[in-house]
């Protein structure tokens, strides 16, 4: 009986510890495509008192949690993983049906944090430039971040914030 009580206490403590380590992330970022108005997203993943205007927040948070897990497994920072996966120099298999609107596309993370890690790049900024919106869209798709960088299915226009 004492062994059962001890096991129950250990399992209960483990569940409390797991629950207290809930995934959290917060981002403010813009998607800019030359010739089109900038699209600004605010994304909150389990951060109290911060509202999301992101049209696909639940899925975007799941994608960021996967990136966070990869960073933990590899020992790299989330910033390094995001920069590598979303790099405009990654070989992209472009979708010929994607309609290009505007010119050069830029992802600019103004504020970003996953768990306790602040997302930044060289000199504190995190900005990636692509030849056009279709390239950005395909980079996001190949990186498994298609909801984080939400585009309409048939073109290079970002899904507007809520």
């Amino acid at each position: 009986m004492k062994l059962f009580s001890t096991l129950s206490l250990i399992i209960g403590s483990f569940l409390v510890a797991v629950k207290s380590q809930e995934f959290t992330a917060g981002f403010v970022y813009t998607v800019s495509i030359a010739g089109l108005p900038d699209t600004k997203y605010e994304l909150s993943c389990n951060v109290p008192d911060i509202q999301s205007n992101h049209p696909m927040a639940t899925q975007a948070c799941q994608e960021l949690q996967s990136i966070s897990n990869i960073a933990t497994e590899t020992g790299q920072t989330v910033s390094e993983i995001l920069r590598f996966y979303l790099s405009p120099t990654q070989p992209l298999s472009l979708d010929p049906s994607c309609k290009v609107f505007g010119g050069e596309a830029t992802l600019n993370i103004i504020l970003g944090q996953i768990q306790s890690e602040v997302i930044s790049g060289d000199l504190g900024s995190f900005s990636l430039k692509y030849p056009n919106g279709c390239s950005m869209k395909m980079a996001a798709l190949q990186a498994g971040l298609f909801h984080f960088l939400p585009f309409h299915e048939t073109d290079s226009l970002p899904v507007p914030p809520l």
Side-chain angles (χ1 to χ4, degrees):
M1 189 68 162
K2 187 173 184 170
L3 176 62
F4 180 74
S5 298
T6 304
L7 283 175
S8 295
L9 182 61
I10 291 170
I11 290 170
S13 298
F14 175 74
L15 291 175
V16 168
V18 168
K19 185 173 169 88
S20 68
Q21 293 180 3
E22 183 175 46
F23 175 77
T24 59
F27 280 83
V28 176
Y29 59 102
T30 58
V31 172
S32 304
I33 299 175
L36 300 173
D38 289 357
T39 305
K40 183 177 180 182
Y41 297 102
E42 296 175 16
L43 175 64
S44 173
C45 307
N46 300 314
V47 179
D49 304 324
I50 297 177
Q51 296 295 315
S52 286
N53 73 351
H54 197 286
M56 301 174 186
T58 301
Q59 301 95 326
C61 289
Q62 291 168 348
E63 292 170 349
L64 290 173
Q65 186 166 12
S66 294
I67 293 294
S68 179
N69 292 342
I70 292 168
T72 300
E73 291 168 10
T74 63
Q76 294 177 287
T77 66
V78 173
S79 294
E80 291 169 330
I81 298 292
L82 283 173
R83 187 170 294 284
F84 174 76
Y85 279 9
L86 291 173
S87 172
T89 61
Q90 287 281 2
L92 300 175
S93 53
L94 294 176
D95 179 358
S97 68
C98 182
K99 297 178 192 137
V100 177
F101 294 91
E104 183 178 78
T106 304
L107 165 65
N108 184 34
I109 296 177
I110 301 162
L111 300 169
Q113 185 167 341
I114 293 182
Q115 303 296 68
S116 59
E117 182 185 336
V118 174
I119 308 305
S120 64
D122 304 332
L123 306 174
S125 66
F126 191 106
S127 186
L128 298 171
K129 292 188 185 307
Y130 302 85
N132 56 54
C134 285
S135 297
M136 179 188 281
K137 176 181 177 177
M138 293 312 298
L141 182 63
Q142 287 179 196
L145 292 165
F146 190 66
H147 296 98
F148 179 71
L149 283 174
F151 283 90
H152 289 283
E153 256 186 67
T154 57
D155 60 40
S156 63
L157 294 175
V159 176
L162 301 175

Coordinates of all heavy atoms in Angstrom, one line a residue, residues 21-29 41-47 52 54 56-73 76-83 85-86 107 109 111-120 126 128 140 143-150:
Q21 N 4.9 23.4 -17.6 CA 5.8 23.7 -18.7 C 5.1 23.8 -20.0 O 5.6 23.5 -21.0 CB 6.9 22.7 -18.7 CG 7.8 22.7 -17.6 CD 8.9 21.6 -17.7 OE1 9.0 20.8 -18.6 NE2 9.7 21.5 -16.6
E22 N 3.9 24.4 -20.0 CA 3.1 24.6 -21.2 C 3.9 25.5 -22.2 O 4.5 26.4 -21.8 CB 1.8 25.2 -20.8 CG 0.8 25.4 -21.9 CD -0.5 26.0 -21.4 OE1 -0.5 26.9 -20.6 OE2 -1.5 25.5 -21.9
F23 N 3.8 25.1 -23.4 CA 4.4 25.8 -24.5 C 3.9 27.2 -24.6 O 2.7 27.5 -24.6 CB 4.2 25.1 -25.8 CG 4.8 25.9 -27.0 CD1 6.1 25.9 -27.2 CD2 4.0 26.6 -27.8 CE1 6.7 26.6 -28.3 CE2 4.5 27.3 -28.9 CZ 5.8 27.3 -29.1
T24 N 4.8 28.2 -24.6 CA 4.4 29.6 -24.8 C 5.2 30.3 -25.9 O 6.4 29.9 -26.1 CB 4.6 30.4 -23.5 OG1 5.9 30.4 -23.1 CG2 3.7 29.9 -22.4
A25 N 4.6 31.1 -26.6 CA 5.3 31.9 -27.7 C 4.5 33.2 -27.9 O 3.3 33.2 -27.8 CB 5.4 31.1 -28.9
G26 N 5.2 34.2 -28.3 CA 4.6 35.4 -28.7 C 5.4 36.1 -29.8 O 6.6 36.1 -29.7
F27 N 4.7 36.5 -30.8 CA 5.3 37.1 -32.0 C 4.6 38.3 -32.5 O 3.3 38.3 -32.5 CB 5.4 36.1 -33.2 CG 6.5 35.1 -33.1 CD1 6.4 34.0 -32.3 CD2 7.7 35.4 -33.7 CE1 7.4 33.1 -32.2 CE2 8.8 34.4 -33.6 CZ 8.6 33.3 -32.8
V28 N 5.3 39.3 -33.0 CA 4.8 40.4 -33.7 C 5.7 40.5 -35.0 O 6.9 40.6 -34.8 CB 4.8 41.8 -33.0 CG1 4.3 42.9 -33.9 CG2 4.0 41.7 -31.7
Y29 N 5.1 40.3 -36.2 CA 5.9 40.3 -37.4 C 5.1 40.8 -38.6 O 3.9 40.9 -38.6 CB 6.5 38.9 -37.6 CG 5.4 37.8 -37.8 CD1 5.1 37.3 -39.1 CD2 4.8 37.2 -36.7 CE1 4.2 36.3 -39.2 CE2 3.9 36.2 -36.8 CZ 3.6 35.7 -38.1 OH 2.7 34.7 -38.3
Y41 N 1.1 40.8 -38.3 CA 0.5 39.7 -37.5 C 1.0 39.8 -36.0 O 2.1 40.1 -35.7 CB 0.9 38.3 -38.0 CG 0.4 38.0 -39.4 CD1 1.3 38.1 -40.4 CD2 -0.9 37.7 -39.6 CE1 0.9 37.8 -41.7 CE2 -1.4 37.4 -40.9 CZ -0.5 37.5 -42.0 OH -0.9 37.3 -43.2
E42 N 0.1 39.5 -35.1 CA 0.4 39.4 -33.7 C -0.1 38.0 -33.3 O -1.3 37.7 -33.5 CB -0.3 40.5 -32.9 CG 0.2 41.8 -33.2 CD -0.5 43.0 -32.5 OE1 -1.3 42.7 -31.5 OE2 -0.4 44.1 -33.0
L43 N 0.8 37.2 -32.8 CA 0.5 35.8 -32.5 C 0.8 35.5 -31.1 O 2.0 35.8 -30.6 CB 1.3 34.8 -33.4 CG 1.2 33.3 -33.2 CD1 -0.2 32.9 -33.4 CD2 2.2 32.6 -34.1
S44 N -0.1 35.0 -30.3 CA 0.1 34.6 -29.0 C -0.3 33.1 -28.8 O -1.3 32.7 -29.1 CB -0.8 35.5 -28.1 OG -0.8 35.0 -26.7
C45 N 0.7 32.4 -28.2 CA 0.5 31.0 -27.9 C 0.6 30.8 -26.4 O 1.7 30.8 -25.8 CB 1.6 30.1 -28.6 SG 1.8 30.4 -30.4
N46 N -0.6 30.7 -25.8 CA -0.7 30.4 -24.3 C 0.0 31.5 -23.5 O 0.5 31.3 -22.4 CB -0.1 29.1 -24.0 CG -0.8 27.9 -24.7 OD1 -2.0 27.9 -24.7 ND2 0.0 27.0 -25.2
V47 N -0.1 32.8 -24.0 CA 0.5 33.9 -23.3 C -0.8 34.7 -22.8 O -1.5 35.3 -23.6 CB 1.4 34.8 -24.1 CG1 1.9 36.0 -23.3 CG2 2.6 34.0 -24.7
S52 N -4.3 37.5 -30.1 CA -3.8 37.2 -31.4 C -4.7 37.9 -32.5 O -5.9 37.9 -32.3 CB -3.7 35.7 -31.7 OG -2.7 35.1 -31.0
H54 N -3.9 36.7 -35.5 CA -3.5 35.8 -36.5 C -4.6 34.9 -37.0 O -5.3 34.3 -36.2 CB -2.3 34.9 -36.0 CG -1.5 34.2 -37.0 ND1 -2.0 33.1 -37.7 CD2 -0.3 34.5 -37.4 CE1 -1.1 32.7 -38.5 NE2 0.0 33.5 -38.4
M56 N -4.7 32.0 -38.3 CA -4.5 30.5 -38.1 C -3.7 30.3 -36.9 O -2.7 29.5 -36.9 CB -3.8 29.9 -39.4 CG -4.6 30.2 -40.6 SD -3.6 29.6 -42.1 CE -4.7 30.1 -43.4
A57 N -4.0 30.9 -35.8 CA -3.2 30.9 -34.6 C -2.9 29.5 -34.0 O -1.8 29.2 -33.7 CB -3.8 31.8 -33.5
T58 N -3.9 28.7 -33.9 CA -3.8 27.4 -33.3 C -2.7 26.6 -34.1 O -1.8 26.0 -33.5 CB -5.1 26.6 -33.3 OG1 -6.0 27.4 -32.5 CG2 -4.9 25.3 -32.6
Q59 N -2.9 26.5 -35.4 CA -2.0 25.7 -36.2 C -0.6 26.4 -36.2 O 0.4 25.7 -36.2 CB -2.5 25.6 -37.7 CG -3.8 25.0 -37.8 CD -4.9 26.0 -37.9 OE1 -4.9 27.1 -37.2 NE2 -6.0 25.7 -38.7
A60 N -0.5 27.7 -36.3 CA 0.8 28.4 -36.2 C 1.6 28.1 -34.9 O 2.8 27.8 -34.9 CB 0.6 29.9 -36.4
C61 N 0.8 28.0 -33.8 CA 1.4 27.7 -32.5 C 2.0 26.3 -32.5 O 3.0 26.0 -32.0 CB 0.5 27.9 -31.4 SG 0.1 29.7 -31.1
Q62 N 1.2 25.4 -33.1 CA 1.7 24.0 -33.2 C 3.0 23.9 -34.0 O 3.9 23.1 -33.7 CB 0.6 23.1 -33.8 CG -0.6 22.9 -32.9 CD -1.8 22.3 -33.6 OE1 -1.8 22.1 -34.8 NE2 -2.8 21.9 -32.8
E63 N 3.0 24.6 -35.1 CA 4.2 24.6 -36.0 C 5.4 25.2 -35.2 O 6.5 24.6 -35.3 CB 4.0 25.5 -37.2 CG 3.0 24.9 -38.2 CD 2.6 25.8 -39.3 OE1 2.9 27.0 -39.3 OE2 1.9 25.3 -40.2
L64 N 5.2 26.3 -34.4 CA 6.3 26.8 -33.6 C 6.8 25.9 -32.5 O 7.9 25.8 -32.2 CB 5.9 28.2 -33.1 CG 5.7 29.3 -34.1 CD1 5.2 30.5 -33.4 CD2 7.1 29.6 -34.7
Q65 N 5.8 25.2 -32.0 CA 6.2 24.2 -30.9 C 7.1 23.1 -31.6 O 8.0 22.7 -30.9 CB 4.9 23.6 -30.3 CG 5.3 22.7 -29.1 CD 4.1 22.3 -28.3 OE1 3.0 22.5 -28.6 NE2 4.4 21.7 -27.1
S66 N 6.8 22.7 -32.8 CA 7.6 21.7 -33.5 C 9.0 22.2 -33.7 O 10.0 21.5 -33.5 CB 7.0 21.3 -34.8 OG 5.8 20.6 -34.6
I67 N 9.1 23.5 -34.1 CA 10.4 24.2 -34.3 C 11.2 24.2 -32.9 O 12.4 23.9 -32.9 CB 10.3 25.6 -34.9 CG1 9.7 25.5 -36.3 CG2 11.6 26.4 -34.8 CD1 10.6 24.8 -37.3
S68 N 10.5 24.5 -31.9 CA 11.1 24.6 -30.5 C 11.6 23.2 -30.1 O 12.7 23.1 -29.6 CB 10.1 25.1 -29.5 OG 10.6 25.1 -28.2
N69 N 10.8 22.1 -30.4 CA 11.3 20.8 -30.1 C 12.5 20.4 -30.9 O 13.5 19.8 -30.4 CB 10.2 19.8 -30.4 CG 9.0 19.9 -29.5 OD1 9.1 20.5 -28.4 ND2 7.8 19.4 -29.9
I70 N 12.6 20.8 -32.2 CA 13.8 20.5 -33.0 C 15.0 21.3 -32.4 O 16.1 20.7 -32.3 CB 13.6 21.0 -34.5 CG1 12.5 20.0 -35.1 CG2 14.9 21.0 -35.3 CD1 12.0 20.5 -36.5
A71 N 14.8 22.5 -32.0 CA 15.9 23.3 -31.4 C 16.4 22.6 -30.1 O 17.6 22.4 -29.9 CB 15.5 24.7 -31.1
T72 N 15.5 22.1 -29.3 CA 15.9 21.4 -28.1 C 16.6 20.1 -28.4 O 17.7 19.8 -27.8 CB 14.6 21.0 -27.2 OG1 13.9 22.3 -26.9 CG2 15.0 20.3 -26.0
E73 N 16.2 19.3 -29.4 CA 16.8 18.1 -29.8 C 18.2 18.3 -30.4 O 19.1 17.5 -30.1 CB 15.9 17.3 -30.8 CG 14.7 16.8 -30.2 CD 13.7 16.3 -31.3 OE1 14.1 16.2 -32.5 OE2 12.5 16.0 -30.9
Q76 N 20.4 23.7 -30.9 CA 20.5 25.0 -31.6 C 19.5 25.9 -31.0 O 18.6 25.5 -30.3 CB 20.3 24.8 -33.1 CG 21.4 24.0 -33.8 CD 21.1 23.9 -35.2 OE1 20.2 23.1 -35.6 NE2 21.8 24.6 -36.1
T77 N 19.6 27.2 -31.3 CA 18.6 28.1 -30.8 C 17.4 28.1 -31.8 O 17.6 27.7 -32.9 CB 19.1 29.6 -30.8 OG1 19.4 30.0 -32.1 CG2 20.4 29.7 -29.9
V78 N 16.3 28.5 -31.3 CA 15.1 28.6 -32.2 C 15.4 29.6 -33.3 O 15.0 29.3 -34.5 CB 13.8 29.0 -31.4 CG1 12.7 29.2 -32.3 CG2 13.5 27.9 -30.4
S79 N 16.1 30.7 -33.0 CA 16.4 31.6 -34.1 C 17.2 31.0 -35.2 O 16.9 31.2 -36.4 CB 17.2 32.8 -33.5 OG 16.5 33.6 -32.6
E80 N 18.2 30.1 -34.8 CA 19.0 29.5 -35.8 C 18.1 28.5 -36.7 O 18.3 28.5 -37.9 CB 20.1 28.7 -35.2 CG 21.2 29.5 -34.5 CD 22.2 28.8 -33.7 OE1 21.8 27.7 -33.1 OE2 23.3 29.2 -33.6
I81 N 17.3 27.8 -36.0 CA 16.4 26.8 -36.7 C 15.5 27.6 -37.7 O 15.3 27.2 -38.9 CB 15.6 26.0 -35.8 CG1 16.5 25.1 -34.9 CG2 14.6 25.1 -36.5 CD1 17.3 24.0 -35.6
L82 N 14.8 28.7 -37.2 CA 13.9 29.4 -38.1 C 14.7 30.0 -39.2 O 14.2 30.0 -40.4 CB 13.3 30.6 -37.3 CG 12.1 30.2 -36.3 CD1 11.7 31.4 -35.5 CD2 10.9 29.6 -37.1
R83 N 15.8 30.6 -39.0 CA 16.6 31.2 -40.1 C 17.0 30.2 -41.1 O 17.0 30.4 -42.3 CB 17.8 31.9 -39.5 CG 18.6 32.7 -40.5 CD 19.7 33.6 -39.9 NE 19.1 34.7 -39.1 CZ 18.6 35.8 -39.6 NH1 18.5 36.0 -40.8 NH2 18.1 36.7 -38.7
Y85 N 15.5 27.1 -41.7 CA 14.4 26.5 -42.4 C 13.7 27.5 -43.4 O 13.2 27.1 -44.4 CB 13.3 26.0 -41.4 CG 13.6 24.7 -40.9 CD1 14.9 24.0 -41.1 CD2 12.7 24.0 -40.1 CE1 15.1 22.8 -40.6 CE2 13.0 22.7 -39.6 CZ 14.2 22.1 -39.8 OH 14.4 20.9 -39.3
L86 N 13.7 28.8 -43.0 CA 13.0 29.8 -43.8 C 14.0 30.6 -44.7 O 13.6 31.5 -45.4 CB 12.3 30.8 -42.9 CG 11.1 30.3 -42.2 CD1 10.6 31.3 -41.2 CD2 10.0 29.9 -43.2
L107 N 10.1 39.0 -44.7 CA 9.6 38.6 -43.4 C 10.4 39.4 -42.4 O 11.6 39.3 -42.4 CB 9.7 37.1 -43.2 CG 9.5 36.6 -41.7 CD1 8.1 36.9 -41.2 CD2 9.9 35.2 -41.6
I109 N 10.6 39.9 -38.3 CA 10.1 39.6 -36.9 C 10.5 40.8 -36.1 O 11.7 41.0 -35.8 CB 10.6 38.3 -36.4 CG1 10.1 37.1 -37.3 CG2 10.3 38.1 -34.9 CD1 10.6 35.7 -36.9
L111 N 9.1 41.4 -32.8 CA 9.3 40.9 -31.5 C 9.0 39.4 -31.6 O 8.0 39.0 -32.2 CB 8.3 41.5 -30.5 CG 8.3 43.0 -30.3 CD1 7.1 43.4 -29.5 CD2 9.6 43.3 -29.5
G112 N 9.8 38.6 -30.9 CA 9.5 37.1 -30.9 C 10.1 36.5 -29.7 O 11.2 36.8 -29.3
Q113 N 9.3 35.6 -29.2 CA 9.8 34.8 -28.0 C 9.1 33.4 -28.0 O 7.9 33.3 -28.1 CB 9.6 35.5 -26.7 CG 10.2 34.8 -25.5 CD 10.2 35.7 -24.3 OE1 10.1 36.9 -24.3 NE2 10.4 35.0 -23.1
I114 N 9.9 32.4 -27.9 CA 9.4 31.0 -27.7 C 10.0 30.5 -26.4 O 11.2 30.6 -26.2 CB 9.8 30.1 -28.8 CG1 9.1 30.5 -30.1 CG2 9.5 28.7 -28.5 CD1 9.4 29.6 -31.3
Q115 N 9.1 30.1 -25.5 CA 9.5 29.8 -24.1 C 10.2 31.0 -23.6 O 9.7 32.1 -23.6 CB 10.3 28.5 -24.0 CG 9.6 27.3 -24.6 CD 8.3 26.8 -23.9 OE1 7.3 27.6 -23.9 NE2 8.3 25.7 -23.3
S116 N 11.5 30.9 -23.2 CA 12.2 32.0 -22.6 C 13.2 32.6 -23.6 O 13.9 33.5 -23.3 CB 12.9 31.7 -21.3 OG 13.8 30.6 -21.6
E117 N 13.2 32.0 -24.8 CA 14.2 32.4 -25.8 C 13.7 33.6 -26.7 O 12.6 33.5 -27.3 CB 14.6 31.3 -26.8 CG 15.7 31.7 -27.8 CD 16.0 30.6 -28.8 OE1 15.8 29.4 -28.5 OE2 16.5 31.0 -29.9
V118 N 14.4 34.7 -26.7 CA 14.1 35.8 -27.6 C 14.6 35.5 -29.0 O 15.7 35.1 -29.1 CB 14.7 37.1 -27.0 CG1 14.4 38.3 -28.0 CG2 14.1 37.4 -25.7
I119 N 13.7 35.7 -30.0 CA 14.1 35.4 -31.3 C 14.7 36.6 -31.9 O 14.1 37.7 -31.9 CB 12.8 35.0 -32.2 CG1 12.0 33.9 -31.5 CG2 13.2 34.7 -33.6 CD1 12.8 32.7 -31.2
S120 N 15.9 36.5 -32.4 CA 16.6 37.6 -33.0 C 17.6 37.1 -34.1 O 17.8 35.9 -34.2 CB 17.3 38.5 -32.0 OG 18.3 37.7 -31.4
F126 N 15.5 40.3 -37.1 CA 15.3 39.1 -37.8 C 14.5 39.4 -39.0 O 13.3 39.7 -39.0 CB 14.5 38.1 -36.9 CG 14.5 36.7 -37.5 CD1 15.2 35.7 -36.9 CD2 13.7 36.4 -38.6 CE1 15.2 34.4 -37.4 CE2 13.6 35.1 -39.1 CZ 14.4 34.1 -38.5
L128 N 14.2 38.4 -43.3 CA 14.5 37.6 -44.5 C 13.9 38.1 -45.7 O 12.7 38.5 -45.7 CB 14.1 36.1 -44.2 CG 14.7 35.4 -43.0 CD1 14.0 34.1 -42.8 CD2 16.2 35.2 -43.2
A140 N 8.0 28.7 -46.6 CA 7.2 28.4 -45.4 C 6.6 27.0 -45.5 O 6.6 26.3 -44.5 CB 6.1 29.5 -45.3
A143 N 9.3 24.5 -44.9 CA 9.7 24.5 -43.5 C 8.7 24.0 -42.6 O 9.0 23.8 -41.4 CB 10.1 25.9 -43.2
G144 N 7.5 23.7 -43.0 CA 6.4 23.3 -42.1 C 5.9 24.4 -41.3 O 5.4 24.3 -40.2
L145 N 6.0 25.6 -41.9 CA 5.5 26.8 -41.2 C 4.5 27.6 -42.1 O 4.4 28.8 -42.1 CB 6.7 27.8 -40.9 CG 7.6 27.2 -39.9 CD1 8.9 28.0 -39.9 CD2 7.0 27.3 -38.5
F146 N 3.7 26.8 -42.8 CA 2.7 27.3 -43.7 C 1.6 28.1 -43.0 O 1.0 29.0 -43.6 CB 2.1 26.2 -44.6 CG 1.3 26.8 -45.8 CD1 1.9 27.5 -46.8 CD2 -0.1 26.5 -45.8 CE1 1.1 28.0 -47.8 CE2 -0.8 27.0 -46.9 CZ -0.2 27.7 -47.9
H147 N 1.3 27.8 -41.8 CA 0.3 28.5 -41.1 C 0.9 29.7 -40.4 O 0.2 30.8 -40.2 CB -0.4 27.6 -40.0 CG -1.2 26.5 -40.7 ND1 -0.7 25.3 -40.8 CD2 -2.4 26.5 -41.3 CE1 -1.6 24.5 -41.5 NE2 -2.6 25.2 -41.8
F148 N 2.1 29.7 -40.0 CA 2.8 30.8 -39.4 C 2.9 31.9 -40.4 O 2.7 33.1 -40.1 CB 4.2 30.4 -38.9 CG 5.0 31.5 -38.3 CD1 4.7 32.0 -37.0 CD2 6.1 32.0 -38.9 CE1 5.4 33.0 -36.5 CE2 6.9 33.0 -38.3 CZ 6.5 33.5 -37.1
L149 N 3.2 31.6 -41.6 CA 3.3 32.5 -42.8 C 2.1 32.2 -43.7 O 2.3 31.5 -44.6 CB 4.6 32.5 -43.5 CG 5.8 33.1 -42.9 CD1 7.0 32.8 -43.7 CD2 5.6 34.6 -42.8
P150 N 0.9 32.7 -43.3 CA -0.3 32.2 -44.1 C -0.5 32.9 -45.4 O -0.6 34.2 -45.4 CB -1.4 32.5 -43.1 CG -0.9 33.7 -42.3 CD 0.6 33.6 -42.2

